[in-house]
Amino acid sequence: MEIDGGNDVQILDPELLQLPGLSPVSLKENPHIAEELFSQWLSLPETGRLVKSLIDDTKSSTPVSVSKNCTSLNVACGSALPSVFLNSGTPPLSPRGSPGSPRFSRQKTSPSLQSPLKSVREPKRQLIPQFYFQHGRPPAKELREQCISMVDQFFSNYIDGLHMDEFKSITKEVCKLPSFLSSVLFRKIDTSGTGIVTRDAFIKYWVDGHMLAMDVASQIYNILRQPGCKYLRQADFKPVLDELLTTHPGLEFLRNTPEFQERYAETVIYRIFYYINRSGTGCITLRELKRGNLITAMQKVDEEDDINKVIRYFSYEHFYVIYCRFWELDGDHDFLIDKENLIKYGNHALTYRIVDRIFSQVPRKFTSKVEGKMSYEDFAYFILAEEDKSSEPSLEYWFKCIDLDGDGVITPNEMQFFYEEQLHRMECITQEPVLFEDILCQIFDMIKPEKENCITLQDLKASKLSGNIFNILFNLNKFMAFETRDPFLIRQERENPTLTEWDRFAQREYVRLSMEEDVEEVSNGSADVWDEPLESPF
């Protein structure tokens, strides 16, 4: 049936009627005949039964097939046609079932006749698995059962519960966490302070609290943070370092020197926040904890008896270097240093202008409460930034110093301001000066900034030679070493490419300090000092 959109005239296609005794040509010439035949077909009882059958099939969602009904219906309709239509002058159509007929071929290639009322089925609901859990994803059934079985074995001999000194095996073997987190985890479960953790209390916190299904970083983060806090503070790491100092065999020699135990713990925490707290807020978020390498270092400390082999954060030798360097500069030993003290750092390697910028607290606000004084924590940040200018925290530290107007770019004028003092110092030591124009070309060749005549922080982070830029501008000793390309340092870098600039500096400095202490002890008449371990700066 075709519909003319303009005149809204409906025309029946004679082929659709499938009347064996009538020619389609005669019906096309007399359209009123087709309409009359269609009306008569609709009034037949067989048609009503067919329509009702199709509707019932549709409601019951059964496949609709009307070929059989149409065949019987056509036979009944054929006998009821008026004789004027049957006695037409055109020859009859060939039988519909004849294999050689063109109509048979058309029916074979066209889709099978189906009801215009297509079967409507209820669409299947797609079950979307839950992806948000307010208190964390619950552990899988198998993991839960396995954990509970291990817990039952541990608590089988401790029906009344475990004391703190007995809880370490649970921390290490069931929770798979570093053993020096044991006391913090114990207190996290024993909220009432009874001194005992029962089986049910542990299951409630570790299994029912969904800690079991978390990654290690999330587990440690939730154990260390205070209730209601969404970050970790420096004080949150103190209990962990206290237990590490008490239990680790590599720190056993410090047990009789509580002062140095405290300084070691502070230094480790300062190093953690220097590298992990990239936002500089003094609060470590879960995201920052996951992005850093602290968890790996903590796991390695628990496995390694020699604390100095864990060079990330926990090395005692690295602490010794930082502390001794600070002690050397702190002439009156009030645990504070001023500008005149810091200018002596590295055999007067730094310029006055860069020291002024540091004490203006542009790169980092001082924690010292005394104006014009730098605390031990402030110095720890400074020395880590000064001795490893390849790290991102260091690049950010020194970029703020050189960016005088704080507009986010370093311009040639700003670089020239700092280099002027370097140039003057070279002239004072009769060193052949290098003109700023030549230095500027060298800097831009090393960094290859995206924009001409300015350098952004991203430009520095994208270059492996960025640290040398700052040495050129304000550290004369390192600038001269870079110009002469010290073969000893180059060989060191090739032998251990995994070590950072800070690692190499700490190695050299520890050897220097240990030799100086040995010489001092020999001069004081101490015997066999070469065989004794280096335990303190004194």
mmCIF file of all heavy atoms in Angstrom, residues 37-51:
data_model
loop_
_atom_site.group_PDB
_atom_site.id
_atom_site.type_symbol
_atom_site.label_atom_id
_atom_site.label_comp_id
_atom_site.label_asym_id
_atom_site.label_seq_id
_atom_site.Cartn_x
_atom_site.Cartn_y
_atom_site.Cartn_z
ATOM 1 N N LEU A 37 -12.643 -5.369 -2.839
ATOM 2 C CA LEU A 37 -12.207 -6.716 -2.457
ATOM 3 C C LEU A 37 -11.602 -6.720 -1.049
ATOM 4 O O LEU A 37 -11.818 -7.623 -0.250
ATOM 5 C CB LEU A 37 -11.184 -7.240 -3.462
ATOM 6 C CG LEU A 37 -11.728 -7.648 -4.834
ATOM 7 C CD1 LEU A 37 -10.571 -7.997 -5.755
ATOM 8 C CD2 LEU A 37 -12.661 -8.846 -4.709
ATOM 9 N N PHE A 38 -10.782 -5.671 -0.737
ATOM 10 C CA PHE A 38 -10.161 -5.590 0.576
ATOM 11 C C PHE A 38 -11.207 -5.444 1.678
ATOM 12 O O PHE A 38 -11.113 -6.065 2.743
ATOM 13 C CB PHE A 38 -9.187 -4.403 0.601
ATOM 14 C CG PHE A 38 -8.410 -4.296 1.887
ATOM 15 C CD1 PHE A 38 -7.461 -5.253 2.251
ATOM 16 C CD2 PHE A 38 -8.635 -3.246 2.758
ATOM 17 C CE1 PHE A 38 -6.759 -5.147 3.436
ATOM 18 C CE2 PHE A 38 -7.948 -3.144 3.948
ATOM 19 C CZ PHE A 38 -6.997 -4.102 4.280
ATOM 20 N N SER A 39 -12.240 -4.645 1.410
ATOM 21 C CA SER A 39 -13.316 -4.479 2.400
ATOM 22 C C SER A 39 -14.059 -5.777 2.616
ATOM 23 O O SER A 39 -14.414 -6.135 3.741
ATOM 24 C CB SER A 39 -14.279 -3.385 1.939
ATOM 25 O OG SER A 39 -13.601 -2.151 1.801
ATOM 26 N N GLN A 40 -14.295 -6.492 1.495
ATOM 27 C CA GLN A 40 -15.000 -7.776 1.613
ATOM 28 C C GLN A 40 -14.146 -8.786 2.386
ATOM 29 O O GLN A 40 -14.656 -9.560 3.191
ATOM 30 C CB GLN A 40 -15.328 -8.314 0.209
ATOM 31 C CG GLN A 40 -16.160 -9.603 0.246
ATOM 32 C CD GLN A 40 -16.567 -10.049 -1.141
ATOM 33 O OE1 GLN A 40 -16.331 -9.350 -2.114
ATOM 34 N NE2 GLN A 40 -17.167 -11.214 -1.242
ATOM 35 N N TRP A 41 -12.796 -8.728 2.146
ATOM 36 C CA TRP A 41 -11.899 -9.655 2.854
ATOM 37 C C TRP A 41 -11.917 -9.410 4.354
ATOM 38 O O TRP A 41 -11.900 -10.339 5.149
ATOM 39 C CB TRP A 41 -10.495 -9.484 2.302
ATOM 40 C CG TRP A 41 -9.475 -10.365 2.992
ATOM 41 C CD1 TRP A 41 -9.253 -11.677 2.776
ATOM 42 C CD2 TRP A 41 -8.559 -9.943 4.011
ATOM 43 N NE1 TRP A 41 -8.249 -12.137 3.594
ATOM 44 C CE2 TRP A 41 -7.813 -11.074 4.375
ATOM 45 C CE3 TRP A 41 -8.308 -8.729 4.640
ATOM 46 C CZ2 TRP A 41 -6.818 -11.037 5.337
ATOM 47 C CZ3 TRP A 41 -7.319 -8.686 5.601
ATOM 48 C CH2 TRP A 41 -6.570 -9.829 5.947
ATOM 49 N N LEU A 42 -11.972 -8.137 4.745
ATOM 50 C CA LEU A 42 -11.999 -7.816 6.162
ATOM 51 C C LEU A 42 -13.267 -8.290 6.847
ATOM 52 O O LEU A 42 -13.266 -8.570 8.051
ATOM 53 C CB LEU A 42 -11.853 -6.303 6.368
ATOM 54 C CG LEU A 42 -10.465 -5.701 6.092
ATOM 55 C CD1 LEU A 42 -10.523 -4.195 6.226
ATOM 56 C CD2 LEU A 42 -9.431 -6.264 7.050
ATOM 57 N N SER A 43 -14.379 -8.406 6.083
ATOM 58 C CA SER A 43 -15.666 -8.799 6.681
ATOM 59 C C SER A 43 -15.825 -10.299 6.800
ATOM 60 O O SER A 43 -16.786 -10.771 7.408
ATOM 61 C CB SER A 43 -16.820 -8.206 5.866
ATOM 62 O OG SER A 43 -16.817 -8.757 4.552
ATOM 63 N N LEU A 44 -14.918 -11.084 6.201
ATOM 64 C CA LEU A 44 -15.026 -12.542 6.264
ATOM 65 C C LEU A 44 -14.739 -13.071 7.663
ATOM 66 O O LEU A 44 -13.870 -12.543 8.368
ATOM 67 C CB LEU A 44 -14.059 -13.188 5.272
ATOM 68 C CG LEU A 44 -14.334 -12.937 3.784
ATOM 69 C CD1 LEU A 44 -13.225 -13.542 2.934
ATOM 70 C CD2 LEU A 44 -15.692 -13.545 3.382
ATOM 71 N N PRO A 45 -15.454 -14.140 8.102
ATOM 72 C CA PRO A 45 -15.194 -14.740 9.435
ATOM 73 C C PRO A 45 -13.759 -15.282 9.539
ATOM 74 O O PRO A 45 -13.135 -15.220 10.599
ATOM 75 C CB PRO A 45 -16.216 -15.875 9.527
ATOM 76 C CG PRO A 45 -17.271 -15.527 8.531
ATOM 77 C CD PRO A 45 -16.610 -14.767 7.426
ATOM 78 N N GLU A 46 -13.228 -15.852 8.411
ATOM 79 C CA GLU A 46 -11.862 -16.389 8.460
ATOM 80 C C GLU A 46 -10.845 -15.294 8.784
ATOM 81 O O GLU A 46 -9.847 -15.517 9.464
ATOM 82 C CB GLU A 46 -11.504 -17.043 7.121
ATOM 83 C CG GLU A 46 -12.267 -18.340 6.833
ATOM 84 C CD GLU A 46 -13.647 -18.056 6.243
ATOM 85 O OE1 GLU A 46 -14.022 -16.862 6.175
ATOM 86 O OE2 GLU A 46 -14.340 -19.012 5.878
ATOM 87 N N THR A 47 -11.098 -14.071 8.242
ATOM 88 C CA THR A 47 -10.172 -12.963 8.518
ATOM 89 C C THR A 47 -10.170 -12.607 10.001
ATOM 90 O O THR A 47 -9.121 -12.357 10.605
ATOM 91 C CB THR A 47 -10.564 -11.732 7.701
ATOM 92 O OG1 THR A 47 -10.595 -12.085 6.316
ATOM 93 C CG2 THR A 47 -9.573 -10.601 7.904
ATOM 94 N N GLY A 48 -11.339 -12.570 10.614
ATOM 95 C CA GLY A 48 -11.427 -12.276 12.045
ATOM 96 C C GLY A 48 -10.687 -13.289 12.883
ATOM 97 O O GLY A 48 -9.988 -12.935 13.844
ATOM 98 N N ARG A 49 -10.839 -14.583 12.477
ATOM 99 C CA ARG A 49 -10.143 -15.622 13.238
ATOM 100 C C ARG A 49 -8.619 -15.490 13.067
ATOM 101 O O ARG A 49 -7.846 -15.713 14.002
ATOM 102 C CB ARG A 49 -10.618 -17.008 12.781
ATOM 103 C CG ARG A 49 -12.025 -17.352 13.261
ATOM 104 C CD ARG A 49 -12.331 -18.845 13.071
ATOM 105 N NE ARG A 49 -12.371 -19.210 11.644
ATOM 106 C CZ ARG A 49 -13.487 -19.169 10.910
ATOM 107 N NH1 ARG A 49 -14.643 -18.768 11.465
ATOM 108 N NH2 ARG A 49 -13.461 -19.510 9.636
ATOM 109 N N LEU A 50 -8.174 -15.133 11.853
ATOM 110 C CA LEU A 50 -6.747 -14.981 11.602
ATOM 111 C C LEU A 50 -6.164 -13.850 12.453
ATOM 112 O O LEU A 50 -5.106 -13.987 13.100
ATOM 113 C CB LEU A 50 -6.506 -14.687 10.117
ATOM 114 C CG LEU A 50 -5.054 -14.326 9.747
ATOM 115 C CD1 LEU A 50 -4.111 -15.478 10.069
ATOM 116 C CD2 LEU A 50 -4.951 -13.941 8.285
ATOM 117 N N VAL A 51 -6.862 -12.697 12.455
ATOM 118 C CA VAL A 51 -6.367 -11.556 13.226
ATOM 119 C C VAL A 51 -6.311 -11.887 14.711
ATOM 120 O O VAL A 51 -5.351 -11.570 15.415
ATOM 121 C CB VAL A 51 -7.237 -10.317 12.962
ATOM 122 C CG1 VAL A 51 -6.847 -9.176 13.882
ATOM 123 C CG2 VAL A 51 -7.127 -9.885 11.515
#
